[in-house]
Amino acid sequence: MKYLVHLSRLIVGVLFIISGLIKLNDPTGFSFKLEEYFSESVLNIPALVPYALAIALFVVIFEVVLGVALLIGFKPKWTMWSLLLMIVFFTFLTFYSAYFNKVTDCGCFGDALKLTPWQSFYKDVVLLFFILILFFNQKHINSLLPPMPSALTVFISYSLCLFMGYWVLNHLPLKDFRAYKIGTNIQKGMEFPEGAPRSVYEMNFVYKVNGKEQNFGEKDLMSLPAGAEFVRREDKLISQGYVPPIHDFTIELDGQDFTQEMLNAPKVVMLISYDLNKANPEGLSKLEAFSKKAQAQGYKVLGMTASGIEDIAKYRKEHKITFDYYFCDATTLKTIERGNPSIVVLHKGTIIDKKHWNDIEDVNL
């Protein structure tokens, strides 16, 4: 039992540290995932959405600190209760996501390792098994350091995590695991390989018949009752096919699609704000001067946002912005860049530089 406890201690401690650090590398991305969980269609606690980033930071830092505390044997009782409560909560979340197919990726390892909902749940069940071994055998968890050095180690870990979180929030993730990292060609990322499996969907059509909604399959459409009124179509995924790393990327303005034109251009700068209402005012104030600098060097400058026409007009007037804002899906823009606003430089569709607005002076043109 003593050896099993030591093995469990090593596995749980290392996994918690790795999982926490990967998410701490990109806490904004993890906060987007928490917003999904808090939404009305999942856990229905929208009041927590504004605090998603703060909760994300707390969770990932706590994860790392607990992993360190377990490995060095700091306050075993407090550490084990914290680990148990955390893993029970995460196991519930991943089961809920998997069973009801609500959140397709729990974000357990950020963008570094994508897990399906059921894979995430099974991972948490295994971790719960090891944590229960530790919880009921705390007598075998001895401190590797005297009390003062042990507490100092935990404090240093906590302080370093705070500094790392502060740094990546005010700049960019230290390691970019996303599909839009520097060096990526967007056109190639959108390609569908020949022979790759396609997703299979079952289409269900809802019609109102005699005042009541009824479901009809594709084969039933030829024999609809007289007077049936179409309500909606519901698509159910039967089997997931190949999904390109980059999808739903568009550059649209006034209903026209400029995607291919801009991706083929040799010099393009995208100034990204997925939501102008949430963009940093200081960052927005820096964009106009930068856009003139880029245009002077032959670049096409595009604002990229999912905000509405009224918001665009409002912020262009407030910050005296002269460049146009093009439309792109908010989720896609969140994936491209974490800063709001942020800067992406393209050369014929290849990303050659990315910067947070705090580092706008360092953009390589």
Side-chain angles (χ1 to χ4, degrees):
M1 180 55 70
K2 185 183 294 186
Y3 291 116
L4 182 57
V5 168
H6 291 331
L7 177 63
S8 302
R9 179 178 177 178
L10 181 65
I11 291 173
V12 174
V14 170
L15 277 177
F16 263 68
I17 291 172
I18 292 174
S19 174
L21 286 176
I22 288 176
K23 291 196 288 289
L24 186 57
N25 173 67
D26 184 14
T28 302
F30 185 50
S31 73
F32 292 152
K33 192 59 60 177
L34 290 181
E35 288 178 5
E36 285 188 58
Y37 279 113
F38 297 152
S39 66
E40 294 180 2
S41 61
V42 184
L43 297 179
N44 194 25
I45 42 179
L48 292 181
V49 171
Y51 309 103
L53 181 57
I55 295 172
L57 280 169
F58 172 78
V59 169
V60 297
I61 291 175
F62 196 44
E63 224 179 326
V64 176
V65 170
L66 282 179
V68 172
L70 178 62
L71 290 180
I72 66 174
F74 175 76
K75 294 188 178 296
K77 188 175 182 179
W78 172 83
T79 299
M80 290 316 309
W81 270 107
S82 300
L83 284 169
L84 182 61
L85 291 174
M86 180 172 277
I87 197 61
V88 167
F89 175 69
F90 280 134
T91 303
F92 161 75
L93 276 187
T94 52
F95 173 77
Y96 184 90
S97 298
Y99 187 79
F100 293 101
N101 195 30
K102 291 291 187 179
V103 180
T104 57
D105 172 26
C106 73
C108 303
F109 294 99
D111 291 294
L113 177 62
K114 296 288 187 179
L115 298 178
T116 66
W118 281 115
Q119 287 173 336
S120 300
F121 171 68
Y122 296 142
K123 180 265 297 177
D124 285 341
V125 168
V126 172
L127 271 176
L128 177 60
F129 169 75
F130 286 120
I131 289 174
L132 286 174
I133 291 174
L134 294 169
F135 185 82
F136 291 110
N137 294 276
Q138 295 180 34
K139 62 182 180 182
H140 296 304
I141 303 177
N142 300 317
S143 179
L144 302 182
L145 299 170
M148 185 57 70
S150 181
L152 185 60
T153 300
V154 171
F155 177 75
I156 290 174
S157 301
Y158 168 72
S159 301
L160 289 175
C161 286
L162 275 181
F163 176 75
M164 180 176 173
Y166 173 81
W167 175 266
V168 297
L169 286 176
N170 286 279
H171 299 279
L172 289 179
L174 299 174
K175 174 68 175 176
D176 194 348
F177 294 104
R178 288 161 291 161
Y180 294 90
K181 58 182 176 290
I182 292 176
T184 297
N185 182 274
I186 295 177
Q187 295 101 314
K188 290 187 179 298
M190 292 192 290
E191 290 178 354
F192 197 96
E194 186 177 351
R198 302 273 180 176
S199 296
V200 178
Y201 292 89
E202 178 184 273
M203 287 187 290
N204 180 58
F205 298 86
V206 181
Y207 280 81
K208 186 174 287 187
V209 180
N210 297 325
K212 295 182 179 180
E213 291 188 357
Q214 295 184 23
N215 297 322
F216 297 89
E218 288 183 86
K219 297 179 180 179
D220 302 324
L221 296 182
M222 300 300 294
S223 56
L224 285 173
E229 181 183 345
F230 176 77
V231 178
R232 63 182 178 275
R233 192 185 90 179
E234 299 173 345
D235 294 340
K236 180 182 178 182
L237 180 65
I238 304 301
S239 63
Q240 180 68 65
Y242 175 80
V243 178
I246 295 178
H247 51 278
D248 296 334
F249 178 84
T250 57
I251 302 175
E252 299 176 4
L253 179 64
D254 298 330
Q256 293 186 332
D257 191 338
F258 292 88
T259 307
Q260 291 306 317
E261 177 185 337
M262 297 305 178
L263 291 181
N264 289 325
K267 289 185 172 185
V268 173
V269 167
M270 298 192 302
L271 305 177
I272 298 174
S273 296
Y274 73 91
D275 185 341
L276 287 168
N277 289 312
K278 296 180 180 179
N280 186 286
E282 184 183 348
L284 289 176
S285 67
K286 294 183 176 183
L287 297 184
E288 179 62 21
F290 175 80
S291 72
K292 292 191 181 312
K293 174 185 173 183
Q295 290 171 13
Q297 297 188 37
Y299 282 85
K300 293 183 178 180
V301 177
L302 322 174
M304 297 283 285
T305 187
S307 295
I309 296 175
E310 292 182 1
D311 288 330
I312 292 174
K314 171 187 172 184
Y315 284 96
R316 288 187 69 186
K317 182 179 180 180
E318 282 183 8
H319 298 280
K320 300 178 180 179
I321 291 172
T322 58
F323 56 84
D324 288 322
Y325 269 100
Y326 291 70
F327 176 81
C328 185
D329 179 72
T331 301
T332 300
L333 294 178
K334 288 179 181 180
T335 306
I336 294 173
E337 198 57 287
R338 299 310 195 199
N340 187 8
S342 55
I343 304 95
V344 176
V345 184
L346 299 178
H347 172 70
K348 294 186 177 180
T350 298
I351 299 172
I352 60 174
D353 199 12
K354 299 172 70 174
K355 288 290 189 295
H356 188 282
W357 66 264
N358 274 326
D359 303 312
I360 196 168
E361 294 82 5
D362 301 326
V363 175
N364 182 27
L365 293 176

